[in-house]
Amino acid sequence: MTDALKRLSDEGVAIWLDDLSRKRITSGNLAELIDQQHVVGVTTNPSIFQKAISSGDGYQQQVADLAARKVTVEEAIRMITTADVRDAADVLRPVFDATGGQDGRVSIEVDPRLAHHTAATIAEAKQLAWLVDRPNTLIKIPATKAGLPAITEVIGLGISVNVTLIFSLERYREVMDAYLAGLEKAKAAGLDLSEIRSVASFFVSRVDTEIDKRLEKLGTDEAKALKGKAALANARLAYQAFEEVFSSDRWAALDKAGANKQRPLWASTGVKDPAFKDTLYVDELVAPGTVNTMPEATLEATADHGEITGDTVRGTYTAAKADLDAIAALGISYDDVVQLLEDEGVEKFEASWNDLLKSTEAELKRLAPSEG
């Protein structure tokens, strides 16, 4: 193993694991990754929980107890997932304490079926924060149009938020604006801004997957030369936007009141195209004050052969813009791509949630005690 993960941490990139299961907690694996692989946070999503709970490992007794209580399938899922997040938060608590609350965080997502419903998202976020009841939790809210006012409201209540499913630069700026508005509400309410944290999860690999598919279809040498360029360009320009917003006068007033910057988090960093190096979205997105949440395979690949050569983001903005302009010049619509990816992202999480509902309902029926 190289020291690539340590070098990444030293460059100011927080390494989070994009996975969670009960077995990972109870086996000591999560604690081991924290101790040996510089992991300082965990993210979950409906797909991750669907996979973990469907495997059944470690969930049977709790499901049997829930079946005996005749709880609804929705309630069962919330009891199961919040138990995992609570336990993971406890494992990460020493990191949370050591970093003054910046890291040691575990994220849990609002029901994805609420992605286009502002009031329901706010209510669900409050409920999740209450259910998990750990200061090192982040409630994940999708960056849909309906999600933006929910972000402001939830931050305004003093609840820390991981904004997820961000694909476009314009939407990212709206997310930062929603965060600042939330901090302003919290300040007006007399809350301690230093205790409120947020990350903005900017998705990476899916941008290449969709744009490269369109470049391949064009088939010209010019188009093929741009493959693998869009996702990095998009993420790097997001960091430029982050630098702008968090050096503004509006931010300065909040900073003075003790607020924390909303860190950019690189999500979807597993490489989908085997033609690319499997650590591409780690090696090429090194910048201070960021988070990179990695699937375990990407974490292991980075530990084994990641090439961390310092900051690979700042100083690239002109080239990044040129790459996106070149793609647009070929007739590929950026706005069309990012909207499609947002829609698909919500749909995928909804599908995973529905699969989770079905498999959990089947387990509740199977393990229900016989009457009498």
Side-chain angles (χ1 to χ4, degrees):
M1 194 179 86
T2 68
D3 279 335
L5 293 172
K6 181 179 187 308
R7 287 200 298 277
L8 193 59
S9 295
D10 290 346
E11 289 290 341
V13 180
I15 298 166
W16 291 8
L17 177 71
D18 192 26
D19 190 53
L20 186 64
S21 67
R22 191 156 295 180
K23 187 178 180 185
R24 194 182 283 287
I25 298 164
T26 57
S27 67
N29 172 262
L30 178 58
E32 194 176 285
L33 291 173
I34 295 163
D35 186 48
Q36 297 176 16
Q37 301 280 54
H38 306 278
V39 168
V40 293
V42 167
T43 47
T44 67
N45 62 45
S47 302
I48 285 168
F49 278 129
Q50 194 269 328
K51 186 179 160 198
I53 297 167
S54 299
S55 76
D57 212 341
Y59 296 98
Q60 192 157 335
Q61 185 58 58
Q62 187 181 10
V63 175
D65 290 345
L66 292 165
R69 288 175 49 215
K70 295 186 167 64
V71 304
T72 65
V73 64
E74 276 93 352
E75 188 183 348
I77 287 169
R78 275 309 178 212
M79 292 297 106
I80 294 164
T81 57
T82 54
D84 279 1
V85 169
R86 192 180 307 115
D87 290 345
D90 288 344
V91 174
L92 278 152
R93 185 60 190 260
V95 177
F96 174 81
D97 293 337
T99 60
Q102 175 158 275
D103 289 307
R105 297 272 174 179
V106 187
S107 297
I108 184 167
E109 190 136 358
V110 297
D111 183 334
R113 295 172 301 177
L114 308 178
H116 302 296
H117 305 280
T118 303
T121 293
I122 295 164
E124 170 96 341
K126 287 157 70 175
Q127 171 77 353
L128 284 174
W130 177 82
L131 267 176
V132 177
D133 193 27
R134 293 293 183 271
N136 50 331
T137 312
L138 291 169
I139 307 302
K140 288 179 90 171
I141 297 176
T144 55
K145 276 290 183 190
L148 295 170
I151 292 157
T152 295
E153 190 64 31
V154 172
I155 290 288
L157 293 169
I159 297 169
S160 294
V161 171
N162 175 343
V163 183
T164 187
L165 289 176
I166 307 170
F167 296 95
S168 89
L169 295 166
E170 182 186 356
R171 183 57 53 84
Y172 178 44
R173 285 184 181 274
E174 291 174 336
V175 165
M176 290 188 283
D177 181 69
Y179 175 61
L180 297 185
L183 289 175
E184 286 157 354
K185 283 189 84 156
K187 185 183 174 188
L191 300 182
D192 181 354
L193 299 192
S194 70
E195 292 187 357
I196 303 170
R197 297 277 180 171
S198 184
V199 293
S201 294
F202 201 85
F203 278 54
V204 184
S205 67
R206 294 185 196 182
V207 174
D208 270 344
T209 302
E210 182 58 36
I211 287 182
D212 288 358
K213 189 167 70 180
R214 299 181 186 207
L215 290 169
E216 191 66 43
K217 200 172 173 185
L218 289 173
T220 64
D221 289 344
E222 188 185 5
K224 287 178 180 174
L226 288 165
K227 284 182 71 179
K229 299 278 182 73
L232 290 176
N234 202 36
R236 286 165 170 170
L237 292 173
Y239 192 82
Q240 182 186 32
F242 160 75
E243 287 189 307
E244 283 173 20
V245 170
F246 289 98
S247 59
S248 66
D249 291 344
R250 185 184 181 191
W251 167 248
L254 290 163
D255 184 39
K256 203 172 172 184
N260 299 292
K261 290 179 182 177
Q262 181 186 55
R263 288 185 292 172
L265 178 150
W266 311 129
S268 177
T269 54
V271 173
K272 309 284 195 291
D273 188 334
F276 303 151
K277 191 184 174 193
D278 54 2
T279 59
L280 177 70
Y281 305 127
V282 178
D283 298 348
E284 298 299 330
L285 289 175
V286 178
T290 58
V291 179
N292 194 313
T293 186
M294 308 178 201
E296 190 168 24
T298 305
L299 182 76
E300 288 175 355
T302 304
D304 182 64
H305 53 262
E307 294 176 58
I308 310 303
T309 56
D311 190 332
T312 49
V313 173
R314 290 182 297 185
T316 67
Y317 305 144
T318 303
K321 187 173 184 312
D323 283 339
L324 290 189
D325 287 347
I327 289 163
L330 294 175
I332 294 172
S333 166
Y334 177 85
D335 290 344
D336 179 61
V337 167
V338 294
Q339 188 58 56
L340 174 73
L341 291 172
E342 181 186 303
D343 294 343
E344 281 183 353
V346 172
E347 284 165 15
K348 281 176 185 171
F349 282 169
E350 273 191 37
S352 295
W353 197 256
N354 288 328
D355 288 345
L356 182 53
L357 285 168
K358 283 179 201 154
S359 57
T360 304
E361 189 170 33
E363 280 295 279
L364 286 167
K365 281 179 182 164
R366 187 177 74 81
L367 295 168
S370 52
E371 297 298 328

